[in-house]
Amino acid sequence: MLFFTGLPLFLMELSLGQYGAAGPITVWKCCPILKGIGIGMLLVSTLVSLYYNVIIAWTFFYLGQSFQSPLPWSCESPLYSQLCQNVSSNGSKFSATEAFWNEKVLGVVHSSGLDDPGPVRWELALCLLAAWIIIFLCMLKGIHSSGKVVYFTATFPYFVIIVLLIRGATLEGSIDGVKFYLTADWKRLQSAQVWNDAASQIFYSLGIGFGGLLSMASYNKFDNNVIRDTLVIAIGNCSTSFFAGFAIFSVLGHMAWKKGVPVGEVADSGPGLAFVAYPEALALLPGSVFWSILFFLMLFTLGVDTLFGNMEGITTAILDEIPSLRDWKKKTIFLGILCFCFYLLGLLLITQGGIYWFTLIDSYSTSFGLIIIALFMCLGISFFYGVNQFCQDIVDMVCRCPPWCTKVLWYFKACWAFITPLLLLFILFYIFLEMYNTPLHYGSYEYPHWGKALGICMGTLCCIQIPIWATVAVFRETGTLKDRFKKSLRPLNTWRNANSPQEHSSAIIDVPYTVNLTEQDFSDAVWQGAGMLEH
């Protein structure tokens, strides 16, 4: 999935953003009929940003709670010391971390489901407010200033991972966790779920289809080597994920050894790994307070980096469409209102039943809608804009790069035109099949049909923008339906000049147009006068 979907789509977004020097909406001046892809990306980023900052709020809460000894979710805590001695009906010990997560953090034990959200958790409301204030300040400074902060937030997690790996390697039972991590069950490759999960990992970790890549690339110099950046970032990203797995599973192996259970029984995914399984493992370590602070500080820096990228995509898209908002005062007011609206909408996700809404948005906001957006982006650039023209655009940008850079484009061209669309169609087919046959759960709670329908509407809202704005683009043109369609495929005049300001004319019209001259035009007095002056 990395080599046949991740790398090609990553390069496509970087190249498009860098060549067009515009955000996820305005960049589609290269092919106006595809503008809906940019609108869809904007909506996906909005839904993700809405719930992603809740993760940062949880991280804030755990980080604050980590400055206690013993840790409040450990069995040494007075609150859960008695509970840890209880034995459930299946014979396993009660998990203090799970009780802390469900009772003290989420309060989900007081909610019956989606239709029973209950009151807002005020501790989390304060944490969420703090998280949005930090994001607001980052956005206010802009990418040129906030980019310097990334030198710390992007490198600090590497330091923490290395420290956790060294500590984990010294623990009893860590080797069992590493063996579990590296042992493959090759029969699982026959399951479409494995391929779907791999695609989800690649899309999420690389940020494909969210619009953030287009926005970030628009700040690049025109001759920046996007092919080199794609290979370094994408392969480096997946290598980091693989390396981080050793730090995680070495500690989980120790926890399994201490509890006397297989590693598979203590491993978890999603919020359960970050806020239940791993905190429980950290609580078992000597000096657990230090390790807990280090771990949640790492999660915080990772979360801020991710959300900053998403929000940058949203703001760049809006500022490109409404340039008057670039004024410092107007931009400050706009960003303040935007972050405050996100905060108010996010309050639903930190109620007692907020985890049910969180899971719903998480499951459907980046499901089939995101895959459809990526699919149409790939097909649109390949067959509407033209894969040969797109490759030529890349060559124009990286003309000073080594010869291998241009040769590797043959590989990407094959992926864009054939391999990647087929893989995306396969994933899309499986997602729809699974959506029809598999009910959505959070723990033992099964979502009602209306809840699942609401989630499908979220995904549909994102991808339906493509045909809506394609229709708008066609009917804005003149002539027969066929002529209108052809005109809506043409790049706008400013597309070619986006990175050549010296060629700009003050009278450029930002629409696709043609001028048909008749015999009368050549006999006009003004035309004849201009001809005499030329002679």
Side-chain angles (χ1 to χ4, degrees):
M1 285 299 168
L2 169 65
F3 286 109
F4 294 111
T5 60
L7 283 173
L9 293 175
F10 194 86
L11 177 60
M12 178 173 282
E13 285 202 45
L14 284 192
S15 302
L16 197 60
Q18 182 172 307
Y19 190 85
I25 297 179
T26 309
V27 78
W28 293 105
K29 62 174 74 173
C30 70
C31 189
I33 200 172
L34 300 176
K35 185 177 181 179
I37 295 175
I39 305 290
M41 288 178 172
L42 181 66
L43 292 177
V44 170
S45 287
T46 299
L47 289 172
V48 171
S49 299
L50 179 64
Y51 78 83
Y52 203 91
N53 218 10
V54 174
I55 300 176
I56 300 178
W58 292 337
T59 304
F60 255 139
F61 184 81
Y62 270 87
L63 183 60
Q65 295 291 316
S66 296
F67 288 91
Q68 301 180 42
S69 183
L71 292 173
W73 57 82
S74 67
C75 285
E76 286 74 28
S77 170
L79 188 62
Y80 297 114
S81 58
Q82 190 64 36
L83 292 176
C84 288
Q85 305 304 318
N86 295 337
V87 179
S88 61
S89 57
N90 59 8
S92 61
K93 290 186 177 180
F94 189 87
S95 171
T97 51
E98 193 171 359
F100 181 82
W101 169 245
N102 289 324
E103 296 173 7
K104 297 299 179 183
V105 182
L106 301 178
V108 69
V109 292
H110 305 294
S111 174
S112 59
L114 274 180
D115 55 352
D116 180 28
V120 172
R121 309 279 293 174
W122 69 268
E123 305 99 324
L124 290 180
L126 292 177
C127 293
L128 185 63
L129 180 62
W132 275 116
I133 289 175
I134 291 173
I135 295 299
F136 167 73
L137 294 175
C138 289
M139 300 302 300
L140 190 61
K141 287 291 184 180
I143 191 169
H144 296 293
S145 299
S146 299
K148 298 174 183 177
V149 180
V150 177
Y151 286 120
F152 169 75
T153 58
T155 55
F156 178 72
Y158 282 96
F159 167 73
V160 176
I161 290 172
I162 292 171
V163 171
L164 289 174
L165 177 59
I166 294 173
R167 182 67 184 99
T170 64
L171 298 172
E172 189 73 32
S174 61
I175 191 66
D176 294 328
V178 173
K179 285 180 180 178
F180 177 83
Y181 176 51
L182 296 179
T183 302
D185 181 3
W186 297 107
K187 292 181 180 179
R188 293 293 301 277
L189 288 177
Q190 299 175 10
S191 169
Q193 178 66 47
V194 173
W195 296 89
N196 182 47
D197 290 343
S200 299
Q201 165 68 12
I202 292 300
F203 268 74
Y204 237 112
S205 61
L206 293 180
I208 297 169
F210 294 94
L213 291 178
L214 284 165
S215 298
M216 295 293 185
S218 69
Y219 293 96
N220 286 345
K221 295 179 180 178
F222 182 72
D223 58 353
N224 178 63
N225 192 337
V226 286
I227 299 177
R228 177 203 61 205
D229 288 355
T230 296
L231 297 175
V232 171
I233 295 172
I235 296 175
N237 172 78
C238 289
S239 300
T240 300
S241 299
F242 179 67
F243 176 67
F246 288 94
I248 299 297
F249 278 89
S250 61
V251 177
L252 291 181
H254 173 68
M255 183 172 73
W257 171 81
K258 203 154 188 176
K259 297 178 75 172
V261 297
V263 180
E265 290 188 17
V266 299
D268 205 342
S269 61
L273 174 62
F275 299 105
V276 178
Y278 207 72
E280 182 177 358
L282 293 174
L284 299 174
L285 300 179
S288 56
V289 172
F290 170 76
W291 299 113
S292 183
I293 293 172
L294 206 60
F295 174 72
F296 286 110
L297 195 58
M298 178 189 71
L299 283 189
F300 168 72
T301 57
L302 289 171
V304 168
D305 275 351
T306 301
L307 191 56
F308 177 73
N310 272 343
M311 291 299 294
E312 183 64 33
I314 295 172
T315 54
T316 302
I318 296 173
L319 294 178
D320 281 350
E321 294 296 301
I322 313 175
S324 60
L325 291 178
R326 293 188 182 277
D327 175 74
W328 172 258
K329 186 176 180 180
K330 291 180 180 179
K331 182 181 178 182
T332 303
I333 296 173
F334 162 68
L335 290 176
I337 294 173
L338 182 67
C339 290
F340 185 65
C341 289
F342 270 113
Y343 171 71
L344 292 179
L345 292 171
L347 290 177
L348 173 64
L349 307 183
I350 54 173
T351 57
Q352 291 176 344
I355 189 64
Y356 297 122
W357 288 95
F358 176 94
T359 305
L360 182 70
I361 299 175
D362 182 34
S363 300
Y364 287 100
S365 62
T366 55
S367 180
F368 64 92
L370 181 62
I371 301 296
I372 290 175
I373 288 171
L375 176 63
F376 272 85
M377 177 178 71
C378 191
L379 292 175
I381 292 296
S382 297
F383 298 104
F384 287 175
Y385 182 70
V387 69
N388 291 327
Q389 178 62 57
F390 188 62
C391 288
Q392 184 58 50
D393 293 344
I394 297 175
V395 171
D396 292 342
M397 291 189 292
V398 299
C399 57
R400 297 178 183 176
C401 76
W404 65 265
C405 285
T406 52
K407 290 179 180 178
V408 81
L409 280 177
W410 287 100
Y411 161 75
F412 286 111
K413 186 185 291 188
C415 288
W416 291 329
F418 181 68
I419 302 173
T420 303
L422 283 181
L423 272 174
L424 292 177
L425 283 172
F426 163 73
I427 296 165
L428 195 61
F429 172 76
Y430 176 75
I431 288 175
F432 284 129
L433 196 65
E434 183 187 36
M435 192 184 303
Y436 180 78
N437 294 324
T438 309
L440 181 63
H441 286 89
Y442 175 76
S444 59
Y445 174 74
E446 182 175 330
Y447 281 72
H449 291 299
W450 66 266
K452 196 172 179 179
L454 184 61
I456 293 174
C457 288
M458 290 181 196
T460 304
L461 178 65
C462 298
C463 60
I464 204 174
Q465 303 300 319
I466 299 173
I468 289 176
W469 288 94
T471 304
V472 171
V474 168
F475 281 95
R476 276 179 176 172
E477 304 300 335
T478 57
T480 64
L481 186 61
K482 184 178 180 180
D483 291 337
R484 290 181 176 189
F485 179 75
K486 287 183 177 179
K487 289 178 181 179
S488 66
L489 297 177
R490 297 175 186 171
L492 301 182
N493 288 355
T494 51
W495 170 250
R496 289 296 171 208
N497 297 324
N499 288 285
S500 304
Q502 69 276 10
E503 297 176 9
H504 281 197
S505 167
S506 59
I508 284 181
I509 301 174
D510 195 14
V511 292
Y513 68 96
T514 55
V515 177
N516 297 314
L517 299 177
T518 64
E519 189 174 336
Q520 183 178 355
D521 293 316
F522 292 95
S523 61
D524 186 81
V526 175
W527 176 272
Q528 292 174 355
M532 291 174 63
L533 285 174
E534 185 178 359
H535 286 295

